[in-house]
Amino acid sequence: MWCEYLYVILAYVDMLKKGEKRFEIYIPAIIAITSFIYSLISCNYIVQFDFIKEIIPFIETLLGFTLAALTLLLSNNRIEEKTRNYPMEREIRGKTITMFQFLVVLYSYLIICETILCILYYIATLFPTSVNAIIADIGNSFFIWGVFHVLFSTLRTASNMYHITIRK
């Protein structure tokens, strides 16, 4: 299996700032842990299953919009001219990147995460297995973390794009 997508994931993690890590990684983790604890305490294991079933069409739609946004970003000369020669304080593997590279990494990362979520969901529905409810809950909690991670990352990416396009 080819694993080129790992380079994008590593580049993304490399350029995150501390506050962004808190926002995009730790807050979704708190949400996932809370949902895990709630389903254990209430013995209602179906809650997470229902959430995942309801959120997957949204993630699929978000994947389509993210693909369209990356396509527009790469084909829009106005945005490219504005961002190509604008250096940032961010680095990937010790090299300073431009704002254009920053945006490409953000959107590429989102596409990879959304695709991984869709693949995991369809593999899980294709090969249903009987596992312990707690083990299923742990797996569902990781999936829920991934969903909220994508949503928080999308919020930040959209706000970055807004600030870049309105700057004069």
Side-chain angles (χ1 to χ4, degrees):
M1 179 175 160
W2 301 103
C3 296
E4 288 88 4
Y5 62 90
L6 293 176
Y7 290 115
V8 177
I9 293 171
L10 292 174
Y12 180 80
V13 171
D14 197 24
M15 69 179 198
L16 278 180
K17 293 182 178 177
K18 193 175 191 176
E20 294 165 345
K21 285 181 184 174
R22 269 187 248 132
F23 182 71
E24 293 180 17
I25 295 173
Y26 303 140
I27 293 175
I30 292 169
I31 293 169
I33 291 167
T34 304
S35 81
F36 175 74
I37 292 170
Y38 171 76
S39 65
L40 281 179
I41 291 172
S42 69
C43 294
N44 188 359
Y45 304 110
I46 303 301
V47 172
Q48 288 185 329
F49 289 120
D50 290 342
F51 173 78
I52 291 170
K53 280 186 199 175
E54 290 176 16
I55 199 72
I56 206 66
F58 178 76
I59 295 296
E60 293 168 340
T61 305
L62 189 60
L63 175 60
F65 280 115
T66 308
L67 283 165
L70 181 61
T71 302
L72 289 173
L73 173 69
L74 294 174
S75 63
N76 188 332
N77 291 336
R78 181 176 160 257
I79 293 175
E80 184 177 354
E81 289 171 7
K82 234 177 175 180
T83 59
R84 172 114 14 221
N85 296 321
Y86 188 84
M88 298 187 67
E89 297 173 3
R90 298 180 188 257
E91 295 180 348
I92 296 176
R93 290 182 221 110
K95 294 170 70 177
T96 303
I97 60 171
T98 65
M99 193 171 292
F100 185 76
Q101 293 168 322
F102 173 71
L103 288 173
V104 170
V105 170
L106 286 177
Y107 281 105
S108 299
Y109 177 78
L110 280 174
I111 290 168
I112 289 168
C113 287
E114 293 160 0
T115 303
I116 288 171
L117 286 173
C118 290
I119 289 170
L120 289 175
Y121 175 78
Y122 289 117
I123 288 174
T125 56
L126 183 62
F127 302 110
T129 59
S130 295
V131 294
N132 184 327
I134 293 175
I135 293 172
D137 241 12
I138 292 170
N140 290 339
S141 296
F142 278 113
F143 192 89
I144 290 169
W145 172 84
V147 166
F148 281 101
H149 172 66
V150 164
L151 293 175
F152 282 114
S153 298
T154 302
L155 271 174
R156 191 173 65 83
T157 301
S159 65
N160 282 335
M161 189 63 155
Y162 170 79
H163 290 292
I164 289 166
T165 55
I166 66 164
R167 184 179 43 235
K168 302 205 178 201

